[in-house]
Amino acid sequence: ADEMAVEVDEPALLQPDDEVDVGTGPAIRHTDAKLQTKLKSEHLQKRLLQIYYESHTMLEEQGVNVLYLAMGQLKFAERPGSDEFRSAPLVLLPVVLERKSARDRFKLKWTEEDPQENLSLREKMRVDFGIKLPEFPEVESFDIGAYFDEVREAVSGQAGWQVIDDAIQLGFFSFAKLLMFLDLDPAKWPDEKLIDENPLVAGLLGDGFSSKDPGVPDVSAAGLDRLVPVEQLKHVMDCDSSQALAVEAVRSGQNLVIQGPPGTGKSQTIANVIATAVGDGRRVLFVAE
């Protein structure tokens, strides 16, 4: 439905809704535009209010909507041969939670963006179980029931696994870290620049780093002028001697981590590192979350 009221009825009030919809067969309460939950009204409203504020905060901070109505779930074993089972959503519909005033009920509205598959689940199935989930259908020909049947067929050889068609959940889902994970696949890198052969990556993941790392030299402010002549400085912001030494350490080809409490000039140091590198004719890639 384009618009659904999120509310809960008391058990005593459900009896009239047990009337069967003659057009579809199921009870009317399963074919109307209202979502039912197991929460009592008071707890439901508190939970919806929390989701409402969290979704707005994430949208303001990250610039993307990560609130989805998850439809259908795959119940699967945590590991091959394990008796411990998990459930993961199969179809994610982008939605927004809104209300006109504090007195109104919340409404869940489709953002009109395309539904998405669970990319993390697809990757887990491939890596841990060697199972290739079916291709997610195009929006124009999307048939959620047919997609569930294809997933059911793909996992049919796994004991105890099942697709729960009627499962539905409202929650936050983000795949930003998965995209970084996929980027780390060596097969996706050119032969002449394999990521696992990069010195930094190899040092972090296996070989370690040289114990002879000179680090940042310990010199006085007066000694700094002898170490780095003033005419060679290419700073664009004020910095003290310790910050200038950090810039020169990077300039000499060292890899280092700069840390310190707020207000100690980390951002200014980064700006000077970039300016110095550009001034030396080097290329710079600056990244930040």
Side-chain angles (χ1 to χ4, degrees):
D2 287 349
E3 195 170 275
M4 291 170 286
V6 181
E7 59 183 284
V8 64
D9 293 316
E10 297 296 332
L13 300 180
L14 290 177
Q15 296 304 319
D17 292 338
D18 285 336
E19 181 181 351
V20 173
D21 186 330
V22 295
T24 61
I28 292 177
R29 61 192 172 93
H30 292 314
T31 60
D32 60 20
K34 297 179 181 179
L35 296 177
Q36 302 168 43
T37 80
K38 295 181 179 180
L39 296 175
K40 295 292 185 179
S41 183
E42 180 182 354
H43 294 136
L44 176 61
Q45 295 307 314
K46 288 181 179 179
R47 181 69 183 119
L48 290 175
L49 190 62
Q50 181 182 0
I51 294 175
Y52 173 78
Y53 283 123
E54 286 183 10
S55 63
H56 276 261
T57 300
M58 291 182 181
L59 185 60
E60 291 173 355
E61 292 181 351
Q62 301 179 15
V64 293
N65 178 40
V66 293
L67 182 63
Y68 293 90
L69 189 66
M71 298 178 290
Q73 291 181 359
L74 174 65
K75 180 182 177 183
F76 63 96
E78 175 66 17
R79 296 173 300 278
S82 173
D83 294 331
E84 189 175 3
F85 282 81
R86 298 279 187 256
S87 294
L90 290 172
V91 177
L92 302 173
L93 186 70
V95 294
V96 291
L97 196 60
E98 54 185 36
R99 61 179 179 178
K100 295 181 179 178
S101 70
R103 293 179 176 272
D104 287 342
R105 291 174 183 254
F106 281 103
K107 289 188 175 182
L108 198 63
K109 191 173 183 179
W110 175 40
T111 64
E112 299 188 13
E113 297 178 7
D114 294 346
Q116 303 178 24
E117 67 174 316
N118 187 342
L119 296 174
S120 298
L121 179 63
R122 171 180 289 278
E123 191 63 18
K124 182 174 180 62
M125 292 296 104
R126 182 187 70 83
V127 174
D128 291 355
F129 301 96
I131 295 175
K132 182 179 180 181
L133 293 181
E135 292 298 323
F136 199 70
E138 296 291 336
V139 178
E140 294 77 10
S141 58
F142 188 75
D143 184 334
I144 192 169
Y147 178 66
F148 289 162
D149 289 340
E150 291 178 0
V151 174
R152 190 176 286 109
E153 175 64 25
V155 302
S156 59
Q158 304 293 322
W161 290 30
Q162 66 179 114
V163 173
I164 308 172
D165 300 56
D166 297 333
I168 188 170
Q169 183 176 5
L170 179 66
F172 299 104
F173 300 89
S174 174
F175 301 103
K177 292 182 179 179
L178 173 66
L179 297 178
M180 289 191 289
F181 171 78
L182 295 177
D183 278 344
L184 295 175
D185 185 354
K188 297 183 178 180
W189 291 71
D191 292 338
E192 65 277 9
K193 291 184 178 181
L194 295 178
I195 186 172
D196 51 349
E197 294 181 2
N198 178 281
L200 278 179
V201 176
L204 287 169
L205 301 182
D207 299 340
F209 295 98
S210 171
S211 59
K212 298 179 181 179
D213 185 352
V216 177
D218 184 14
V219 298
S220 64
L224 180 61
D225 288 339
R226 293 191 297 271
L227 180 66
V228 186
V230 175
E231 62 271 14
Q232 294 184 17
L233 296 178
K234 299 178 180 179
H235 302 165
V236 294
M237 303 190 73
D238 292 339
C239 66
D240 61 23
S241 59
S242 65
Q243 295 163 357
L245 288 171
V247 173
E248 292 307 310
V250 176
R251 193 178 195 181
S252 67
Q254 293 185 48
N255 302 300
L256 60 134
V257 176
I258 297 177
Q259 65 178 9
T264 53
K266 297 185 297 297
S267 297
Q268 293 93 315
T269 304
I270 292 172
N272 284 330
V273 166
I274 294 174
T276 301
V278 172
D280 289 343
R282 303 174 67 181
R283 294 188 303 164
V284 176
L285 173 64
F286 175 78
V287 295
E289 186 173 9

